[in-house]
Amino acid sequence: MVSEGLALLALGLVRPWGEVVPRWVPWLHGRRIPIGVVVVAAALGAALVMLFCAYAVLNQVFDFVEPLNDTGDSGPTGGPAAWALWAAYAPLIAWGPLLAILAVAYHRRRRANDAPAAARP
């Protein structure tokens, strides 16, 4: 549930509720969320996701950790089961870089929107 909640926070990078605290939040409602806080949190999340994915892929290849199941097998290593495993987890490899791209786009959009009208081209 924690990972799902954190994943849903990525929607705040593309939705208006990622710029202003919602009205239902006591004492903070309507305040603008600082750009730096959001960008640093998203960049940190992107880095962590990329590290976890890199570790998972390298662990599959080099078997860093002993298997924890009763059979001693670390998981499907061939056949349709292995293809299903890789097909299910392959999109996670893209999550970190895509989150980093969203953080950069959020930063650029907010900077452009917060710039004074005289500074705009």
Side-chain angles (χ1 to χ4, degrees), residues 14-100:
V14 295
R15 301 293 303 158
W17 56 265
E19 298 178 12
V20 179
V21 178
R23 283 181 275 167
W24 55 267
V25 176
W27 301 292
L28 297 176
H29 54 84
R31 293 187 186 183
R32 297 200 41 92
I33 300 172
I35 298 170
V37 171
V38 175
V39 171
V40 167
L44 194 66
L48 286 173
V49 168
M50 286 188 272
L51 285 172
F52 288 147
C53 287
Y55 175 76
V57 169
L58 292 174
N59 188 39
Q60 276 293 101
V61 174
F62 296 112
D63 289 328
F64 295 139
V65 178
E66 291 292 321
L68 298 176
N69 55 15
D70 294 336
T71 63
D73 190 16
S74 61
T77 56
W83 282 104
L85 176 82
W86 284 102
Y89 284 99
L92 290 176
I93 295 171
W95 185 260
L98 290 174
L99 185 58

Side-chain angles (χ1 to χ4, degrees), residues 94-112:
W95 185 260
L98 290 174
L99 185 58
I101 291 168
L102 275 179
V104 171
Y106 177 88
H107 182 265
R108 288 181 179 172
R109 188 188 69 220
R110 286 284 308 271
R111 286 285 180 198

